[in-house]
Amino acid sequence: MFGSGTDPQWEPLAGRLPAGQFEIGKDGAGLLVVGFDGSGPSRNALAYAAGLARRDCAALLIAFVEALNTTPTWFYAGSPIIPDSAADLTEDLRDELRGAGVPWQFVSVRGDTARELETLASAYMADAIVVGRSRRSLWRGSVSARLAKRARRTLLIVP
């Protein structure tokens, strides 16, 4: 049963899938979407996702979602000006992921956090979404709880 020989039936396929095709149910993750806002729980989620990606030879898509209802907005000549907190997070990410050996990309979007993370995961055909445990919002509930209700892929909630 556990001999030293190899069974050709269980050898990996040469060439894998053609470029651009998506495989459901493959071994390991290929891409993980990570919700990151610089908080302690989001840093824990990033560290967990980086370790998982390193072990699975996967990539990270790190997303900062700027909520429309909580960001202070100033108006100048009729157009909104929003402070660039995403630029501040980019430096933090470089420090956090230095030496991790994982390919990553950072994106910043605006909108409802749970909806935007699921939209990004769907658009990039990610295998999972990784978020930190979040505090409960008075109006909408926590991001992790809303994702658990709506996600169409694996969701990892890291304490």
Side-chain angles (χ1 to χ4, degrees):
M1 183 171 165
F2 294 105
S4 61
T6 58
D7 185 353
Q9 174 184 350
W10 298 105
E11 290 296 312
L13 296 174
R16 301 270 180 176
L17 291 174
Q21 288 192 4
F22 182 65
E23 178 185 7
I24 296 176
K26 69 181 184 67
D27 291 337
L31 178 68
L32 302 172
V33 172
V34 183
F36 185 78
D37 62 2
S39 66
S42 73
R43 288 181 189 281
N44 294 343
L46 178 63
Y48 185 87
L52 184 61
R54 186 182 65 248
R55 289 185 297 276
D56 284 351
C57 297
L60 298 176
L61 178 65
I62 303 163
F64 171 66
V65 181
E66 197 162 18
L68 295 176
N69 58 353
T70 59
T71 303
T73 305
W74 296 278
F75 286 89
Y76 176 74
S79 62
I81 300 171
I82 297 175
D84 195 10
S85 53
D88 299 335
L89 289 176
T90 305
E91 289 303 317
D92 287 347
L93 285 171
R94 285 191 183 111
D95 293 339
E96 293 275 338
L97 294 171
R98 185 172 288 122
V102 175
W104 60 278
Q105 180 181 354
F106 178 68
V107 295
S108 175
V109 293
R110 295 180 65 206
D112 176 65
T113 306
R115 180 174 290 128
E116 293 302 324
L117 288 174
E118 178 60 37
T119 300
L120 282 169
S122 180
Y124 284 88
M125 294 186 271
D127 296 299
I129 301 172
V130 183
V131 294
R133 181 182 61 216
S134 57
R135 292 171 290 181
R136 181 173 170 76
S137 168
L138 293 175
W139 296 304
R140 311 264 348 243
S142 72
V143 172
S144 53
R146 290 195 331 261
L147 268 172
K149 291 177 185 175
R150 74 170 326 163
R152 301 205 187 292
R153 67 202 75 252
T154 302
L155 173 65
L156 299 170
I157 302 171
V158 180

